[in-house]
Amino acid sequence: KAGVTQTPRYLIKTRGQQVTLSCSPISGHRSVSWYQQTPGQGLQFLFEYFSETQRNKGNFPGRFSGRQFSNSRSEMNVSTLELGDSALYLCASSSLLGGQGTEAFFGQGTRLTVV
Amino acid sequence: AQSVAQPEDQVNVAEGNPLTVKCTYSVSGNPYLFWYVQYPNRGLQFLLKYITGDNLVKGSYGFEAEFNKSQTSFHLKKPSALVSDSALYFCAVRDGGTGGGNKLTFGTGTQLKVEL
């Protein structure tokens, strides 16, 4: 069974540009969550999608957005990039809603560098 | 609001010795607790979880964790450490109510270094 696939693995962008990251969850998983990992702030929750609906959103500015498609694949977009957006962006997929106690499986991440 | 504390930034242990990585949590509902490991430039790998039942949970690669409700702790343990266990370990909590969805709150991570 294929794991969570994130593309691209590495990305370099210039301040002010926008970027789109992609995540394909494990087959059959309908929940996709996104996290930002930085040395200073650690792992922070961005948002979660379940069946194409955003269920939760973290404390990030509106420049960070996401969506989920009918095949459960998800994208996140960051507009007007800032240097502080440089981070490892991790996608996680789960089979069910959180109440059932299922674990999340993470992709390898996309390393975004803003210059 | 839910939170996780990992009081040690780094834990050093000799190969063959037992290891413990500490974690305490705070959550309003029933806690769902997880341990993940991260190797350099990689994503997070799931090790084990506590949902309900036995307080001692066994996971991958010989790791186990002990849930202590009164102390709100979920320490990760391994009887005999290996050099290959050297990595960054994260404890995470999720509120057991469905309102929290799958949102995980992570601790700051503990770097485990196992030396020969």
Side-chain angles (χ1 to χ4, degrees), chain A residues 17-52:
Chain A
Q17 287 186 315
Q18 75 166 16
V19 67
T20 299
L21 311 182
S22 179
C23 172
S24 294
I26 291 171
S27 178
H29 285 193
R30 293 163 62 190
S31 168
V32 174
S33 300
W34 289 88
Y35 294 83
Q36 181 196 63
Q37 185 178 21
T38 60
Q41 299 298 316
L43 279 157
Q44 293 188 290
F45 173 79
L46 280 156
F47 26 66
E48 178 197 3
Y49 289 87
F50 185 88
S51 294
E52 301 180 66

Side-chain angles (χ1 to χ4, degrees), chain B residues 25-86:
Chain B
Y25 67 90
S26 174
V27 66
S28 56
N30 291 325
Y32 289 173
L33 295 157
F34 304 84
W35 276 101
Y36 287 87
V37 60
Q38 185 177 37
Y39 295 95
N41 296 315
R42 303 293 292 274
L44 304 179
Q45 293 180 30
F46 169 74
L47 280 178
L48 50 78
K49 66 180 178 182
Y50 172 83
I51 304 301
T52 187
D54 289 341
N55 290 340
L56 185 64
V57 178
K58 293 190 183 298
S60 306
Y61 312 117
F63 284 94
E64 57 190 28
E66 187 169 10
F67 172 68
N68 187 315
K69 187 174 182 178
S70 62
Q71 296 185 4
T72 61
S73 67
F74 188 56
H75 300 331
L76 181 70
K77 300 181 180 185
K78 188 174 183 182
S80 178
L82 298 172
V83 171
S84 58
D85 293 330
S86 299

Side-chain angles (χ1 to χ4, degrees), chain A residues 3 5 8-9 26 52 55 63 89:
Chain A
T5 304
R9 287 291 312 278
I26 291 171
E52 301 180 66
R55 286 188 50 84
R63 299 186 296 108
Y89 289 88

